């Protein structure tokens, strides 16, 4: 052995010494190497990089190349690279995915003793049984054990050609409901059953039912689709049937996410955190998971089954609601959930009370109105118990736009969001120092960053502090502006509003082209900032001449500059409006009022927070099918 | 005319049961049936069938009515299109007599014929690989069940309402009974022949994407999961036992 090692090159010796090359594993993982009589290490050194081959279960070569730019750029075999450089640089290595032989062993369908008994030639040659099966047996149609009949499988499923049939069964066939052995017992009982009655019916005696018995499908009721697997996994994670389920597209740092978090918190406060489940439907993004109250369970459909299609997610949502039968369901901007309500709302309204939240119109890149209200409200409203809006202006607009009949109008509820409690520590502006203007939001067309830049460029008497992330092009423009103009500061992204140094600023400037009643205005108002905002959507319900500065001609920079100048010149008036805003927040944007509305409205079907004394009672619809009534037991 | 074969299979299964010492009463419910079906049934009047004509237009109500009229200790359903295996009544009765808890029995296999050609294997709830969540997606058992009349009396079939999207009275009933603690099991070695017609009620049900009526099946399953004692390895040791072990 020592002589053999000495005769090897340094690279080979180093690889052997590392323990990361397992000859036996390599042969089983790549049986063609044995069949073609190639030295495994030579094969690995020659083809390992190109084919991303693992040298053992301990080293995932493909992942190493993906994770390490250094290794990827070099032309070295990944293991050679790791041993020469990666190890010293502490580049992490990971276990390789299970090889075919690993999966076969894990399946329990390979029985070495049985294989040797059934194949005396293998025993006689002293061939390791699993290696023989991988190299020769599978392709020769030999069976690996008593529980997998290779000849039957290949005969029954002629679509399986040129691959290891056992691996096909493990990887696909099992889930597809294919049978590993000829179902002798089932055939026997079926034959006996038909033999006793076939003389009674021409459909049975005119032809031989079992003429081509091996091609008769044998099925049981167990569903084996990807969606069914996802549902099974999902149910396995739930211990307590929830009273409320909130469907979300994702959970990120956005206004709608905060609104959803308020509703979840209200439900959690009232009925206990274990009674609420948040289902993340459309994207596996959970950056703002901290928004959920402690103890509230969340499930991400795409984490459970990453390849679920949109249609499968719709079906899954339908199943979740029908199976778990929560008292209430709330959809906050999940497209899959909107589609589930559109498609199955007629029956789903008998399983739960369905609610949704809407905020403002939205526009596609090409400028078409394509918000959820435009896409879904008309079809879904008859099935919904209520729709909550964060402003009343949008309700008025939609009522007019769709001629919503009076009986359905009662389902549309204005639910003013609660303002946060923020400790104020605003530093007052000194004498002639510049007015400090903050802008914070997503750098997207909706927020009209172009207007912000025009305002900032056209005036020199104010200091601008811009926070946000979004469009790369806009980020570049703002960075450039920040470099060129000393009183404009682009600070980049912020995680949440409360993390911003609001006490260093005087004014929040808000330039949106369309909106509902954005939460950032409530946060800014609660932080004691004077607000200058465009008069779009429901903003005028919060900001008016008494509580801030509302700019009516919303795309004209000079009007915003006039408002900022007025604030700079009349600090007492600005303070008066801040005080008035405080009163408005206290009266309308408080937590008690929020909970009251969410419990009592809509008046007919009650609110999202209302729970029937019969949690699993029937929800029956009025004859018109448009108003859910709660039937208490 | 298709009912003729069903009745003939029923007569054969009764004969088998009677030879084994069981008495069988036959109750025929003709719910909005066609004239030809009535004629076929009356041809077998020599078997002393109790024939009742009803106007429910709903399989659930017809089944519930049949249960209310039945007199025997056990009940077995046979739909007019389908055929029982010869030993069904005998073996199902023997299986039912072997248990004292609430159990609904199903044949081990169903041979689909007519416009279908496959074998459907029934699942047994007491088998370890039984998957509870799957019953939300697929019905595991046909409607031709067998069990103590008491169990059927205590658990009415939920009515169907295709306009509201609710069909599959047997599927909904399977779920409902399980939620109330009833077990669904197979009678080993037995089979039925199920006729699939080109146009059947179940196909109408499919076309409206109907689902079973609301029932507490999954909620009850989750609640039972909560109440289930932990596996022995995780269970806290009984103090007395702990002392012994120490």
């Amino acid at each position: 052995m020592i002589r053999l090692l000495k005769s090897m090159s340094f690279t080979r010796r180093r690889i052997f010494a590392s323990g990361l090359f397992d000859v036996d594993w390599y042969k089983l993982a790549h049986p063609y190497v044995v069949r073609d009589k190639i030295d495994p290490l030579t094969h690995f050194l020659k083809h390992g990089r190109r084919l991303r081959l693992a040298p053992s279960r301990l080293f995932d070569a493909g992942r190493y190349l993906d994770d390490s730019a250094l290794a990827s750029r070099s032309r070295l075999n990944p293991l050679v690279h790791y041993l020469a450089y990666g190890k010293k640089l502490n580049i992490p290595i990971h276990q390789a995915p299970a090889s075919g032989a690993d999966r076969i062993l894990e399946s329990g369908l390979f029985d070495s003793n049985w294989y040797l008994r059934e194949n005396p030639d293998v025993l006689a040659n002293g061939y390791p049984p699993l290696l023989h099966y991988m190299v020769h047996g599978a392709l020769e149609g030999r069976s690996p054990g008593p529980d997998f009949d290779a000849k039957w499988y290949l005969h029954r499923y002629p679509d399986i050609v040129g691959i290891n049939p056992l691996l096909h069964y493990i990887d696909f066939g099992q889930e597809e409901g294919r049978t590993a052995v000829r179902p002798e017992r089932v055939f026997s009982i079926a034959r006996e059953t038909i033999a006793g009655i076939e003389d009674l019916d021409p459909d049975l005696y005119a032809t031989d039912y079992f003429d081509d018995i091996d091609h008769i499908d044998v099925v049981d009721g167990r569903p084996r689709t990807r969606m069914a697997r996802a549902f099974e996994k999902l149910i396995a994670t739930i211990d307590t049937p929830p009273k409320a389920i909130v469907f979300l597209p994702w959970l990120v740092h956005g206004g709608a996410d905060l609104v959803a978090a308020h509703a979840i918190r209200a439900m959690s406060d009232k009925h206990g955190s274990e009674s609420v489940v948040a289902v993340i439907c459309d994207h596996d993004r959970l950056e703002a998971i901290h928004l959920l109250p402690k103890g509230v369970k969340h499930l991400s459909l795409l984490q459970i089954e990453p390849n679920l299609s949109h249609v499968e997610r719709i079906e899954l949502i339908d199943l979740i609601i029908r199976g778990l039968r929560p008292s209430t369901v709330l959809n906050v901007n999940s497209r899959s959930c909107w589609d589930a309500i559109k498609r199955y709302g007629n029956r789903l309204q008998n399983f739960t009370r369905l609610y949704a939240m809407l905020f403002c119109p939205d526009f596609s890149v090409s400028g078409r109105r394509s918000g959820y209200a435009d896409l879904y409200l008309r079809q879904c409203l008859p099935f919904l118990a209520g729709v909550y809006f964060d402003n009343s202006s949008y309700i008025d607009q939609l009522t007019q736009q769709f001629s919503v009949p009076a009986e359905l109008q009662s389902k549309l509820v204005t639910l003013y969001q609660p303002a946060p409690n923020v400790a104020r520590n605003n530093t007052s502006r000194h004498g002639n120092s510049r007015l400090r203007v903050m802008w914070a939001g997503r750098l997207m067309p909706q927020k009209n960053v172009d207007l912000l830049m025009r305002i900032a460029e056209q005036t020199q008497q104010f200091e601008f502090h811009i926070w946000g992330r979004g469009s790369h092009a806009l980020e570049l423009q703002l960075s450039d502006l920040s470099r060129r103009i000393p009183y404009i500061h682009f600070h980049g992204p912020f995680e949440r509003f409360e993390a911003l140094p609001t006490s260093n600023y005087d004014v929040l400037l808000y330039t949106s082209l369309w909106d509902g009643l954005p939460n950032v205005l409530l946060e800014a108002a609660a932080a004691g900032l004077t607000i200058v905002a465009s008069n779009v959507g429901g903003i005028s319900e919060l900001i008016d001449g008494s509580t801030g500065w509302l700019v009516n001609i919303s795309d004209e920079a000079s009007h915003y500059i006039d408002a900022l100048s007025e604030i700079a010149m009349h600090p007492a008036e600005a303070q008066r409006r801040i005080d008035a805003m405080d009163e408005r927040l206290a009266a309308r944007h408080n937590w008690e009022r929020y909970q009251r509305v969410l419990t009592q409205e809509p008046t007919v079907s009650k609110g999202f927070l209302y729970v029937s004394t019969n949690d699993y009672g029937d929800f029956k619809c009025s004859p018109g099918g448009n108003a859910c009534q709660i039937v208490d037991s | 005319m298709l009912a003729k074969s069903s009745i003939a299979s029923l007569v054969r299964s009764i004969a088998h049961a009677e030879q084994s010492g069981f008495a069988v009463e036959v109750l025929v419910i003709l719910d909005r049936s066609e004239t030809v079906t009535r004629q076929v049934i009356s041809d077998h009047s020599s078997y002393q069938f109790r024939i009742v004509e009803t106007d429910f237009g709903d399989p659930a109500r017809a089944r519930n009515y049949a249960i209310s009229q039945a007199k025997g200790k056990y009940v077995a359903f046979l739909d007019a299109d389908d055929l029982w295996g010869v030993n069904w009544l005998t073996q199902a009765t023997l299986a039912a007599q072997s248990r004292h808890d609430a159990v609904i029995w199903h044949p081990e296999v169903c041979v689909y014929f007519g416009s279908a050609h496959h074998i459907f294997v029934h699942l047994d709830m007491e088998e370890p690989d039984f998957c509870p969540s799957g019953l939300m997606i697929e019905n595991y058992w046909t409607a031709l069940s067998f069990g103590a009349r008491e169990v059927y009396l205590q658990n009415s079939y939920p009515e169907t309402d295709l306009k509201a999207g609710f069909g599959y009275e047997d599927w909904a009933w399977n779920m409902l009974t399980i939620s109330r603690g009833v077990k669904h099991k197979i009678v080993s070695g037995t089979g039925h022949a199920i006729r699939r017609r080109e146009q059947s009620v179940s196909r109408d049900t499919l076309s409206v994407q109907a689902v079973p009526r609301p029932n507490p099946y999954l909620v009850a399953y989750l609640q039972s999961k909560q109440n289930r004692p932990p596996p022995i390895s995780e269970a806290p040791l009984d103090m007395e036992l702990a002392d012994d072990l120490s």
Side-chain angles (χ1 to χ4, degrees), chain B residues 23-235:
Chain B
V24 182
E25 168 205 39
V26 179
L27 176 61
V28 180
I29 305 294
L30 296 171
D31 189 39
R32 293 187 187 171
S33 65
E34 296 166 357
T35 313
V36 66
T37 310
R38 282 199 294 276
Q39 185 62 46
V40 167
I41 302 297
S42 61
D43 284 351
H44 285 82
S45 55
S46 58
Y47 291 98
Q48 294 183 328
F49 292 173
R50 194 146 57 95
I51 301 171
V52 183
E53 294 210 29
T54 58
D55 187 30
F56 295 125
D58 172 54
R61 292 177 67 193
R63 286 182 200 284
N64 292 334
Y65 180 74
I67 297 296
S68 73
Q69 297 300 305
K71 292 174 184 160
K73 184 176 180 185
Y74 299 107
V75 170
F77 279 106
L78 176 62
D79 290 347
D81 285 350
D82 308 328
L83 290 81
W84 280 340
V86 176
N87 65 350
W88 169 239
L89 284 182
T90 307
Q91 294 303 320
T93 310
L94 290 171
Q97 286 178 337
S98 71
R99 296 277 292 236
H100 299 293
D101 51 345
V103 178
I104 292 299
W105 299 90
H106 303 273
E108 188 168 347
V109 303
C110 296
V111 181
Y112 276 75
F113 72 106
S115 66
H117 196 105
H118 66 269
I119 299 170
F120 183 64
V121 180
H122 276 153
L123 299 172
D124 189 311
M125 271 184 70
E126 291 184 327
E127 289 298 315
D129 60 348
F130 181 78
C131 172
S133 65
L135 186 59
M136 281 294 304
I137 302 169
E138 296 286 348
N139 189 5
Y140 289 169
W141 304 284
T142 66
L144 308 192
S145 59
F146 180 101
R149 188 169 73 97
E150 198 61 26
V151 175
Y152 290 93
L153 276 174
Q154 287 166 1
N155 301 282
S156 300
Y157 281 86
E159 291 174 23
T160 59
D161 179 358
L162 291 184
K163 274 187 190 161
F166 301 127
Y168 305 111
E169 85 290 350
D170 51 339
W171 187 359
W173 186 80
N174 291 336
M175 296 168 94
L176 185 73
T177 48
I178 293 172
S179 74
R180 293 175 179 172
V182 177
K183 294 273 194 323
H184 285 249
K185 289 187 60 63
I186 58 164
V187 181
S188 187
T190 58
H192 290 163
I194 308 290
R195 188 192 312 274
R196 178 61 61 78
R197 282 201 273 181
E198 290 297 339
Q199 188 62 41
S200 65
V201 174
S202 59
R203 291 193 178 189
D204 292 342
T205 308
L206 276 177
S207 71
V208 296
Q209 294 185 306
V211 294
R213 209 172 247 291
N215 62 72
Y217 168 72
L218 200 62
V219 169
Y221 166 68
L222 290 175
Q223 284 166 343
S224 73
K225 217 166 67 161
Q226 276 182 302
N227 299 332
R228 205 172 299 155
I232 290 169
S233 58
E234 292 172 25

Side-chain angles (χ1 to χ4, degrees), chain A residues 247-248 281-282 310 313-314 317 321 329-343 348 354-355 376 380:
Chain A
F247 289 98
L248 304 160
C281 303
D282 303 305
H310 180 63
R313 279 179 273 136
I314 294 169
I317 289 167
I321 296 173
V329 158
L330 175 66
N331 179 20
V332 187
N333 282 358
S334 162
R335 183 175 288 267
S336 314
C337 187
W338 273 116
D339 274 320
I341 296 170
K342 183 176 166 184
R343 191 176 293 186
L348 285 179
L354 297 162
Y355 297 87
Y376 296 101
C380 295

Side-chain angles (χ1 to χ4, degrees), chain A residues 404-456:
Chain A
V404 180
E407 57 183 316
L408 294 182
Q409 275 181 39
S410 65
K411 296 183 177 188
L412 309 179
V413 175
T414 304
L415 177 71
Y416 287 119
Q417 293 297 308
N421 292 319
V422 180
R424 290 185 188 175
N425 186 24
N426 294 40
T427 55
S428 53
R429 192 160 52 96
H430 301 293
N432 294 330
S433 64
R434 289 172 189 272
L435 189 74
R436 297 158 303 182
V437 180
M438 179 176 85
W439 188 101
R442 280 177 295 133
L443 305 177
M444 305 301 283
Q446 179 197 355
K447 303 299 178 188
N448 208 354
V449 184
D450 285 341
L451 171 65
L452 164 69
M453 290 192 281
R454 274 185 276 135
I455 295 167

